[in-house]
Amino acid sequence: MGKKRTQQPSASTDDLLKTLGDFTSKENWDSFFTVRGSDDSFEWYAEWPQLRDSLFPLLQQQQQQPSPSSSSLQILVPGCGNSRLSEHLYDAGFEDVTNVDFSKVVISDMLRRNVRDRPNMRWRVMDMTQMQFTDDTFDVVLDKGGLDALMEPELGPKLGNQYLSEVKRVLKSRGKFICLTLAESHVLGLLFPKFRFGWKLSLYAIPQKPSSNPELQTFMLVAEKENSNELHQIMSSFSRSSLDCHQHQASGLCEALENENRIRGEYLSGSDILYSLEDLQLGAKGDLTKLSPGRRVQLTLGEQGGSRFCYNAVLLDAKQPCGPFSFHCGVFIVPKTRAHEWLFSSEEGQWQVVESSKAARLIMKDLSPLVKPLAPADNDKEDQIPFMTASDGIKQRNIVYQGSSSLTGPIVIEDVVYENADGDVARSLPFRRLIFRRTEGLVQSEALLTRDGSFDKSVSKSEPKKASSSSKSKRRGTQRKNNESSSKMKVYHGFLASSYHTGIISGLSLISSYLESVASAGNRVKAVVIGLGAGLLPMFLHECMQFMQIEVVELDPTMLNLARDYFGFTQDKHLKVHIADGIEFVRDYRNLSAAGEMPVHENKDALSSEMLLSSNGRCNSSDEETGRSTTIDILIVDVDSSDSSSGMTCPAADFVEESFLRTVKDTLSEQGLFVINLVSRSSAIKDTVVSRMKEVFSHLFCLQLEGEVNLVIFGLCSESYIKEDCIPEATLRLEKLLKPNHPEISQSINDAVKKLRCLK
């Protein structure tokens, strides 16, 4: 700052300035003032003739305001140095001036220089960032270059932030902070937000000395302290073209002013933007000490320059009626890798977190004691604010694969053992899980591991463990890189670890009569599953419903290799995988069905001999053997979305567009069934998808899984549909068609059938 001044110093002055180095060092300033002496004043910026006409009207106006504590205008000049500014003010009639500087040398010199001629002027050795004055002491704080000296770019904003907080504290209501500054962008970047709420700001250009060369111009920012917390646009007395200074200084100032007024305009319009903690404490969004049902505020915790860390957070006061509350105030920690997810990034999702937290006030995404000032006033200071997060109760984790795919990104396969036992499978048995890092909070597939890939019913009668839904599992627990026992175990395909897979199977009861007729005639039901994952659903269908011809469509060839190598997935003539885009596959299927052909989308790098595809691009002779058409009987969409911020984790948005839904209907047989696994916490998104499907399909059913986010939706092509009183009969038919290895699976599917709900 000091190196950018409006006057041309002598060579000796320049040499002195170079010795300062750090403008925030008391020792450097003591040395500077010792060498310079008491009679040789140095003015950093504009001198009195240029300042007088701008300052006088402000001070005279302030003097006319009534002050109950003093009859004269109380003026503070922080960082006074050896400038003659205070002396000129005194001689002009403003005698109640207090000067402070942390240099004992300069304060002693200035006191000696003025003690006789200006006896009422006060001089104090004091750090301007930690002033020892009581609150509301001064009518005017007049800063000439002090803030700029504290704001050397390489030192950061910490000292400047502390100083401005002190200025705000010591000013009386209706008082003025008059700051003479070069208005550099890093200085305005602190000044403007610091005086945003409860202050009226004006910006003036101080006239320059006549000169043939443009120099850095001095500006005067005036901040008036108001009694209210209103927000105002910043007023300026100049335009860019009227400034007589360097182009870089003029453009930087005008850009900063325009940006700040734009931000203030967004505040005034009610836009959803980030507040600072100081803004909120000033009342920008009401009284923080009181709960305000339905209040939602986005803010930044950690003041600029005042904290090593800075966090974006959201404060939410629970809507009414939401009580009774377990906590008056709580904090919900959002892992950085999941901050973009709809549940945590959208307003609707955040309110769902508030409701489940049972907290009257919830602050989301903070990891420090900075949340304490956000607690309501009647929250006991001794009470601990609970920090909440999600847990999946994993006791042990063994990572068996870590890799990456160009399409899916980083992939992890892990074996886990759960802590609790409250379900269908023995707690001693591990589960194998497939996870995509792009949706790290979501478990894509989950399978039960047994020693030989079969299930011993006697084991399930010990202490059972309910498997986590693949739509909800969160990854926690102790990691073990080598686990000999799990490495010897195999995936058991006769068990559905994911409850939504059970839900998908239960929906087959809606066309159980049709399935029964096809199977009894010795024909095959054609099923297409879009999304291989670990191959668990196709393998279950293949083993338990052996009258099906199953085609799986998977975009990423890496998934086929992982399903085969880690989840025991195998193919034969009745279970095949196509490496293709699911939407294109269905569209081409529809276009070619009239010709009796089925499209094959091959990826030459991924295909192996086990894929059993013929060389002429058509399917093997299963269709010809059955004598049936190439229309699809069952189409299941079970894919995730790579964009979790959309509010829909499954499927990708293209799979619920009306154009695709109509293509699906055209591809299905007259008795066909469309199944989609919808994962979204947004009721608006769910309503939109259901509404689109109602427009396309003759009848619509759904299954909301208890305690899960998944909504499994079933679209029927037939005009006739199963009546509610016929569901028990349909359940029996489905049970006969299924060939599970033990009755527990049949029972869970039957229980799910009873929860099917008709939407259309």
PDB file of all heavy atoms in Angstrom, residues 601-630:
ATOM      1  N   HIS A 601     -25.926 -55.783 -30.378  1.00  0.00           N
ATOM      2  CA  HIS A 601     -24.954 -54.692 -30.302  1.00  0.00           C
ATOM      3  C   HIS A 601     -23.676 -55.263 -29.697  1.00  0.00           C
ATOM      4  O   HIS A 601     -23.611 -55.515 -28.502  1.00  0.00           O
ATOM      5  CB  HIS A 601     -25.485 -53.557 -29.421  1.00  0.00           C
ATOM      6  CG  HIS A 601     -26.762 -52.983 -29.937  1.00  0.00           C
ATOM      7  ND1 HIS A 601     -26.822 -51.768 -30.569  1.00  0.00           N
ATOM      8  CD2 HIS A 601     -28.033 -53.471 -29.927  1.00  0.00           C
ATOM      9  CE1 HIS A 601     -28.080 -51.511 -30.908  1.00  0.00           C
ATOM     10  NE2 HIS A 601     -28.823 -52.527 -30.531  1.00  0.00           N
ATOM     11  N   GLU A 602     -22.700 -55.435 -30.508  1.00  0.00           N
ATOM     12  CA  GLU A 602     -21.503 -56.102 -30.025  1.00  0.00           C
ATOM     13  C   GLU A 602     -20.398 -55.101 -29.737  1.00  0.00           C
ATOM     14  O   GLU A 602     -20.205 -54.130 -30.448  1.00  0.00           O
ATOM     15  CB  GLU A 602     -21.008 -57.108 -31.057  1.00  0.00           C
ATOM     16  CG  GLU A 602     -22.017 -58.209 -31.369  1.00  0.00           C
ATOM     17  CD  GLU A 602     -21.407 -59.279 -32.255  1.00  0.00           C
ATOM     18  OE1 GLU A 602     -20.186 -59.290 -32.398  1.00  0.00           O
ATOM     19  OE2 GLU A 602     -22.165 -60.090 -32.790  1.00  0.00           O
ATOM     20  N   ASN A 603     -19.639 -55.364 -28.686  1.00  0.00           N
ATOM     21  CA  ASN A 603     -18.405 -54.653 -28.394  1.00  0.00           C
ATOM     22  C   ASN A 603     -17.288 -55.664 -28.569  1.00  0.00           C
ATOM     23  O   ASN A 603     -17.117 -56.565 -27.762  1.00  0.00           O
ATOM     24  CB  ASN A 603     -18.427 -54.108 -26.957  1.00  0.00           C
ATOM     25  CG  ASN A 603     -17.165 -53.323 -26.634  1.00  0.00           C
ATOM     26  OD1 ASN A 603     -16.066 -53.725 -26.969  1.00  0.00           O
ATOM     27  ND2 ASN A 603     -17.359 -52.195 -25.963  1.00  0.00           N
ATOM     28  N   LYS A 604     -16.550 -55.576 -29.667  1.00  0.00           N
ATOM     29  CA  LYS A 604     -15.600 -56.626 -30.026  1.00  0.00           C
ATOM     30  C   LYS A 604     -14.533 -56.829 -28.965  1.00  0.00           C
ATOM     31  O   LYS A 604     -14.012 -57.920 -28.792  1.00  0.00           O
ATOM     32  CB  LYS A 604     -14.961 -56.289 -31.370  1.00  0.00           C
ATOM     33  CG  LYS A 604     -15.959 -56.306 -32.529  1.00  0.00           C
ATOM     34  CD  LYS A 604     -15.293 -55.981 -33.833  1.00  0.00           C
ATOM     35  CE  LYS A 604     -16.302 -55.990 -34.978  1.00  0.00           C
ATOM     36  NZ  LYS A 604     -15.675 -55.637 -36.263  1.00  0.00           N
ATOM     37  N   ASP A 605     -14.193 -55.737 -28.236  1.00  0.00           N
ATOM     38  CA  ASP A 605     -13.167 -55.868 -27.213  1.00  0.00           C
ATOM     39  C   ASP A 605     -13.671 -56.641 -26.014  1.00  0.00           C
ATOM     40  O   ASP A 605     -12.897 -57.201 -25.250  1.00  0.00           O
ATOM     41  CB  ASP A 605     -12.698 -54.480 -26.761  1.00  0.00           C
ATOM     42  CG  ASP A 605     -12.004 -53.742 -27.889  1.00  0.00           C
ATOM     43  OD1 ASP A 605     -11.415 -54.428 -28.744  1.00  0.00           O
ATOM     44  OD2 ASP A 605     -12.054 -52.501 -27.900  1.00  0.00           O
ATOM     45  N   ALA A 606     -14.986 -56.648 -25.802  1.00  0.00           N
ATOM     46  CA  ALA A 606     -15.522 -57.244 -24.584  1.00  0.00           C
ATOM     47  C   ALA A 606     -16.108 -58.624 -24.815  1.00  0.00           C
ATOM     48  O   ALA A 606     -16.262 -59.402 -23.896  1.00  0.00           O
ATOM     49  CB  ALA A 606     -16.597 -56.340 -23.994  1.00  0.00           C
ATOM     50  N   LEU A 607     -16.487 -58.937 -26.054  1.00  0.00           N
ATOM     51  CA  LEU A 607     -17.178 -60.196 -26.297  1.00  0.00           C
ATOM     52  C   LEU A 607     -16.250 -61.385 -26.090  1.00  0.00           C
ATOM     53  O   LEU A 607     -15.082 -61.363 -26.431  1.00  0.00           O
ATOM     54  CB  LEU A 607     -17.728 -60.229 -27.725  1.00  0.00           C
ATOM     55  CG  LEU A 607     -18.804 -59.176 -28.031  1.00  0.00           C
ATOM     56  CD1 LEU A 607     -19.245 -59.320 -29.470  1.00  0.00           C
ATOM     57  CD2 LEU A 607     -19.971 -59.337 -27.094  1.00  0.00           C
ATOM     58  N   SER A 608     -16.810 -62.422 -25.520  1.00  0.00           N
ATOM     59  CA  SER A 608     -16.070 -63.662 -25.348  1.00  0.00           C
ATOM     60  C   SER A 608     -16.918 -64.796 -25.889  1.00  0.00           C
ATOM     61  O   SER A 608     -18.088 -64.631 -26.213  1.00  0.00           O
ATOM     62  CB  SER A 608     -15.756 -63.898 -23.867  1.00  0.00           C
ATOM     63  OG  SER A 608     -16.957 -64.067 -23.147  1.00  0.00           O
ATOM     64  N   SER A 609     -16.335 -65.970 -25.973  1.00  0.00           N
ATOM     65  CA  SER A 609     -17.052 -67.102 -26.539  1.00  0.00           C
ATOM     66  C   SER A 609     -18.276 -67.459 -25.723  1.00  0.00           C
ATOM     67  O   SER A 609     -19.237 -68.039 -26.242  1.00  0.00           O
ATOM     68  CB  SER A 609     -16.117 -68.312 -26.622  1.00  0.00           C
ATOM     69  OG  SER A 609     -15.631 -68.644 -25.329  1.00  0.00           O
ATOM     70  N   GLU A 610     -18.278 -67.064 -24.430  1.00  0.00           N
ATOM     71  CA  GLU A 610     -19.410 -67.465 -23.597  1.00  0.00           C
ATOM     72  C   GLU A 610     -20.654 -66.636 -23.868  1.00  0.00           C
ATOM     73  O   GLU A 610     -21.730 -66.930 -23.386  1.00  0.00           O
ATOM     74  CB  GLU A 610     -19.015 -67.374 -22.121  1.00  0.00           C
ATOM     75  CG  GLU A 610     -19.175 -66.006 -21.508  1.00  0.00           C
ATOM     76  CD  GLU A 610     -18.959 -66.014 -20.011  1.00  0.00           C
ATOM     77  OE1 GLU A 610     -18.994 -67.084 -19.383  1.00  0.00           O
ATOM     78  OE2 GLU A 610     -18.783 -64.922 -19.475  1.00  0.00           O
ATOM     79  N   MET A 611     -20.532 -65.574 -24.671  1.00  0.00           N
ATOM     80  CA  MET A 611     -21.696 -64.733 -24.922  1.00  0.00           C
ATOM     81  C   MET A 611     -22.678 -65.387 -25.887  1.00  0.00           C
ATOM     82  O   MET A 611     -23.814 -64.948 -26.017  1.00  0.00           O
ATOM     83  CB  MET A 611     -21.264 -63.358 -25.442  1.00  0.00           C
ATOM     84  CG  MET A 611     -20.506 -62.559 -24.387  1.00  0.00           C
ATOM     85  SD  MET A 611     -20.181 -60.875 -24.902  1.00  0.00           S
ATOM     86  CE  MET A 611     -21.818 -60.197 -24.835  1.00  0.00           C
ATOM     87  N   LEU A 612     -22.227 -66.428 -26.591  1.00  0.00           N
ATOM     88  CA  LEU A 612     -23.144 -67.257 -27.383  1.00  0.00           C
ATOM     89  C   LEU A 612     -23.942 -66.459 -28.406  1.00  0.00           C
ATOM     90  O   LEU A 612     -25.151 -66.621 -28.547  1.00  0.00           O
ATOM     91  CB  LEU A 612     -24.104 -68.017 -26.458  1.00  0.00           C
ATOM     92  CG  LEU A 612     -23.436 -68.927 -25.423  1.00  0.00           C
ATOM     93  CD1 LEU A 612     -24.494 -69.540 -24.528  1.00  0.00           C
ATOM     94  CD2 LEU A 612     -22.608 -70.024 -26.098  1.00  0.00           C
ATOM     95  N   LEU A 613     -23.287 -65.545 -29.090  1.00  0.00           N
ATOM     96  CA  LEU A 613     -23.970 -64.793 -30.136  1.00  0.00           C
ATOM     97  C   LEU A 613     -23.576 -65.355 -31.493  1.00  0.00           C
ATOM     98  O   LEU A 613     -22.418 -65.682 -31.738  1.00  0.00           O
ATOM     99  CB  LEU A 613     -23.582 -63.307 -30.065  1.00  0.00           C
ATOM    100  CG  LEU A 613     -24.043 -62.601 -28.781  1.00  0.00           C
ATOM    101  CD1 LEU A 613     -23.468 -61.206 -28.754  1.00  0.00           C
ATOM    102  CD2 LEU A 613     -25.549 -62.560 -28.710  1.00  0.00           C
ATOM    103  N   SER A 614     -24.536 -65.424 -32.397  1.00  0.00           N
ATOM    104  CA  SER A 614     -24.249 -65.990 -33.707  1.00  0.00           C
ATOM    105  C   SER A 614     -23.515 -64.985 -34.571  1.00  0.00           C
ATOM    106  O   SER A 614     -23.585 -63.783 -34.355  1.00  0.00           O
ATOM    107  CB  SER A 614     -25.553 -66.413 -34.385  1.00  0.00           C
ATOM    108  OG  SER A 614     -26.363 -65.286 -34.632  1.00  0.00           O
ATOM    109  N   SER A 615     -22.841 -65.462 -35.581  1.00  0.00           N
ATOM    110  CA  SER A 615     -22.006 -64.604 -36.414  1.00  0.00           C
ATOM    111  C   SER A 615     -22.807 -63.735 -37.359  1.00  0.00           C
ATOM    112  O   SER A 615     -22.305 -62.759 -37.883  1.00  0.00           O
ATOM    113  CB  SER A 615     -21.022 -65.464 -37.222  1.00  0.00           C
ATOM    114  OG  SER A 615     -21.742 -66.371 -38.049  1.00  0.00           O
ATOM    115  N   ASN A 616     -24.062 -64.073 -37.608  1.00  0.00           N
ATOM    116  CA  ASN A 616     -24.844 -63.286 -38.569  1.00  0.00           C
ATOM    117  C   ASN A 616     -25.563 -62.103 -37.931  1.00  0.00           C
ATOM    118  O   ASN A 616     -26.345 -61.428 -38.568  1.00  0.00           O
ATOM    119  CB  ASN A 616     -25.857 -64.178 -39.288  1.00  0.00           C
ATOM    120  CG  ASN A 616     -26.893 -64.750 -38.332  1.00  0.00           C
ATOM    121  OD1 ASN A 616     -26.862 -64.454 -37.144  1.00  0.00           O
ATOM    122  ND2 ASN A 616     -27.794 -65.564 -38.869  1.00  0.00           N
ATOM    123  N   GLY A 617     -25.283 -61.835 -36.629  1.00  0.00           N
ATOM    124  CA  GLY A 617     -25.874 -60.675 -35.981  1.00  0.00           C
ATOM    125  C   GLY A 617     -27.230 -60.918 -35.413  1.00  0.00           C
ATOM    126  O   GLY A 617     -27.873 -60.021 -34.899  1.00  0.00           O
ATOM    127  N   ARG A 618     -27.767 -62.157 -35.547  1.00  0.00           N
ATOM    128  CA  ARG A 618     -29.065 -62.468 -34.956  1.00  0.00           C
ATOM    129  C   ARG A 618     -28.871 -63.357 -33.737  1.00  0.00           C
ATOM    130  O   ARG A 618     -27.819 -63.968 -33.553  1.00  0.00           O
ATOM    131  CB  ARG A 618     -29.950 -63.186 -35.962  1.00  0.00           C
ATOM    132  CG  ARG A 618     -30.244 -62.356 -37.209  1.00  0.00           C
ATOM    133  CD  ARG A 618     -31.234 -63.058 -38.087  1.00  0.00           C
ATOM    134  NE  ARG A 618     -31.471 -62.331 -39.314  1.00  0.00           N
ATOM    135  CZ  ARG A 618     -32.355 -62.707 -40.208  1.00  0.00           C
ATOM    136  NH1 ARG A 618     -33.061 -63.804 -40.018  1.00  0.00           N
ATOM    137  NH2 ARG A 618     -32.539 -61.999 -41.306  1.00  0.00           N
ATOM    138  N   CYS A 619     -29.902 -63.444 -32.922  1.00  0.00           N
ATOM    139  CA  CYS A 619     -29.826 -64.315 -31.764  1.00  0.00           C
ATOM    140  C   CYS A 619     -29.802 -65.758 -32.221  1.00  0.00           C
ATOM    141  O   CYS A 619     -30.223 -66.091 -33.320  1.00  0.00           O
ATOM    142  CB  CYS A 619     -31.032 -64.110 -30.846  1.00  0.00           C
ATOM    143  SG  CYS A 619     -30.931 -62.594 -29.921  1.00  0.00           S
ATOM    144  N   ASN A 620     -29.343 -66.605 -31.304  1.00  0.00           N
ATOM    145  CA  ASN A 620     -29.393 -68.033 -31.582  1.00  0.00           C
ATOM    146  C   ASN A 620     -30.846 -68.489 -31.708  1.00  0.00           C
ATOM    147  O   ASN A 620     -31.785 -67.743 -31.499  1.00  0.00           O
ATOM    148  CB  ASN A 620     -28.656 -68.814 -30.492  1.00  0.00           C
ATOM    149  CG  ASN A 620     -27.154 -68.669 -30.661  1.00  0.00           C
ATOM    150  OD1 ASN A 620     -26.653 -68.477 -31.763  1.00  0.00           O
ATOM    151  ND2 ASN A 620     -26.431 -68.734 -29.554  1.00  0.00           N
ATOM    152  N   SER A 621     -31.029 -69.706 -31.913  1.00  0.00           N
ATOM    153  CA  SER A 621     -32.314 -70.202 -32.393  1.00  0.00           C
ATOM    154  C   SER A 621     -33.379 -70.364 -31.329  1.00  0.00           C
ATOM    155  O   SER A 621     -34.375 -71.022 -31.573  1.00  0.00           O
ATOM    156  CB  SER A 621     -32.089 -71.550 -33.079  1.00  0.00           C
ATOM    157  OG  SER A 621     -31.500 -72.460 -32.140  1.00  0.00           O
ATOM    158  N   SER A 622     -33.188 -69.751 -30.157  1.00  0.00           N
ATOM    159  CA  SER A 622     -34.180 -69.957 -29.107  1.00  0.00           C
ATOM    160  C   SER A 622     -35.560 -69.494 -29.539  1.00  0.00           C
ATOM    161  O   SER A 622     -36.568 -70.126 -29.234  1.00  0.00           O
ATOM    162  CB  SER A 622     -33.761 -69.226 -27.832  1.00  0.00           C
ATOM    163  OG  SER A 622     -33.620 -67.854 -28.097  1.00  0.00           O
ATOM    164  N   ASP A 623     -35.646 -68.372 -30.266  1.00  0.00           N
ATOM    165  CA  ASP A 623     -36.949 -67.875 -30.702  1.00  0.00           C
ATOM    166  C   ASP A 623     -37.561 -68.791 -31.750  1.00  0.00           C
ATOM    167  O   ASP A 623     -38.756 -69.049 -31.742  1.00  0.00           O
ATOM    168  CB  ASP A 623     -36.814 -66.463 -31.267  1.00  0.00           C
ATOM    169  CG  ASP A 623     -36.492 -65.480 -30.172  1.00  0.00           C
ATOM    170  OD1 ASP A 623     -37.206 -65.474 -29.157  1.00  0.00           O
ATOM    171  OD2 ASP A 623     -35.515 -64.726 -30.324  1.00  0.00           O
ATOM    172  N   GLU A 624     -36.693 -69.268 -32.637  1.00  0.00           N
ATOM    173  CA  GLU A 624     -37.200 -70.157 -33.663  1.00  0.00           C
ATOM    174  C   GLU A 624     -37.662 -71.474 -33.059  1.00  0.00           C
ATOM    175  O   GLU A 624     -38.641 -72.076 -33.494  1.00  0.00           O
ATOM    176  CB  GLU A 624     -36.110 -70.390 -34.714  1.00  0.00           C
ATOM    177  CG  GLU A 624     -35.731 -69.091 -35.443  1.00  0.00           C
ATOM    178  CD  GLU A 624     -34.493 -69.278 -36.296  1.00  0.00           C
ATOM    179  OE1 GLU A 624     -34.037 -70.435 -36.440  1.00  0.00           O
ATOM    180  OE2 GLU A 624     -33.991 -68.284 -36.835  1.00  0.00           O
ATOM    181  N   GLU A 625     -36.940 -71.918 -32.005  1.00  0.00           N
ATOM    182  CA  GLU A 625     -37.315 -73.171 -31.358  1.00  0.00           C
ATOM    183  C   GLU A 625     -38.682 -73.052 -30.697  1.00  0.00           C
ATOM    184  O   GLU A 625     -39.471 -73.988 -30.676  1.00  0.00           O
ATOM    185  CB  GLU A 625     -36.255 -73.549 -30.309  1.00  0.00           C
ATOM    186  CG  GLU A 625     -34.915 -73.952 -30.941  1.00  0.00           C
ATOM    187  CD  GLU A 625     -33.829 -74.092 -29.894  1.00  0.00           C
ATOM    188  OE1 GLU A 625     -34.122 -73.833 -28.706  1.00  0.00           O
ATOM    189  OE2 GLU A 625     -32.704 -74.467 -30.240  1.00  0.00           O
ATOM    190  N   THR A 626     -38.960 -71.889 -30.107  1.00  0.00           N
ATOM    191  CA  THR A 626     -40.221 -71.717 -29.389  1.00  0.00           C
ATOM    192  C   THR A 626     -41.352 -71.331 -30.318  1.00  0.00           C
ATOM    193  O   THR A 626     -42.526 -71.442 -29.956  1.00  0.00           O
ATOM    194  CB  THR A 626     -40.083 -70.618 -28.324  1.00  0.00           C
ATOM    195  OG1 THR A 626     -39.739 -69.403 -28.971  1.00  0.00           O
ATOM    196  CG2 THR A 626     -39.023 -70.977 -27.304  1.00  0.00           C
ATOM    197  N   GLY A 627     -41.000 -70.831 -31.503  1.00  0.00           N
ATOM    198  CA  GLY A 627     -42.037 -70.437 -32.441  1.00  0.00           C
ATOM    199  C   GLY A 627     -42.747 -69.166 -32.025  1.00  0.00           C
ATOM    200  O   GLY A 627     -43.837 -68.885 -32.492  1.00  0.00           O
ATOM    201  N   ARG A 628     -42.116 -68.378 -31.169  1.00  0.00           N
ATOM    202  CA  ARG A 628     -42.755 -67.151 -30.678  1.00  0.00           C
ATOM    203  C   ARG A 628     -42.154 -65.931 -31.354  1.00  0.00           C
ATOM    204  O   ARG A 628     -41.071 -65.977 -31.911  1.00  0.00           O
ATOM    205  CB  ARG A 628     -42.592 -67.051 -29.161  1.00  0.00           C
ATOM    206  CG  ARG A 628     -43.218 -68.234 -28.427  1.00  0.00           C
ATOM    207  CD  ARG A 628     -43.185 -68.025 -26.933  1.00  0.00           C
ATOM    208  NE  ARG A 628     -43.934 -66.821 -26.575  1.00  0.00           N
ATOM    209  CZ  ARG A 628     -43.352 -65.744 -26.067  1.00  0.00           C
ATOM    210  NH1 ARG A 628     -42.068 -65.701 -25.884  1.00  0.00           N
ATOM    211  NH2 ARG A 628     -44.090 -64.700 -25.758  1.00  0.00           N
ATOM    212  N   SER A 629     -42.862 -64.803 -31.275  1.00  0.00           N
ATOM    213  CA  SER A 629     -42.397 -63.572 -31.893  1.00  0.00           C
ATOM    214  C   SER A 629     -41.255 -62.979 -31.086  1.00  0.00           C
ATOM    215  O   SER A 629     -40.945 -63.419 -29.997  1.00  0.00           O
ATOM    216  CB  SER A 629     -43.547 -62.560 -31.966  1.00  0.00           C
ATOM    217  OG  SER A 629     -43.833 -62.064 -30.667  1.00  0.00           O
ATOM    218  N   THR A 630     -40.654 -61.961 -31.647  1.00  0.00           N
ATOM    219  CA  THR A 630     -39.505 -61.338 -30.995  1.00  0.00           C
ATOM    220  C   THR A 630     -39.904 -60.169 -30.103  1.00  0.00           C
ATOM    221  O   THR A 630     -39.062 -59.385 -29.713  1.00  0.00           O
ATOM    222  CB  THR A 630     -38.489 -60.858 -32.044  1.00  0.00           C
ATOM    223  OG1 THR A 630     -39.152 -59.982 -32.951  1.00  0.00           O
ATOM    224  CG2 THR A 630     -37.889 -62.035 -32.773  1.00  0.00           C
TER     225      THR A 630
END
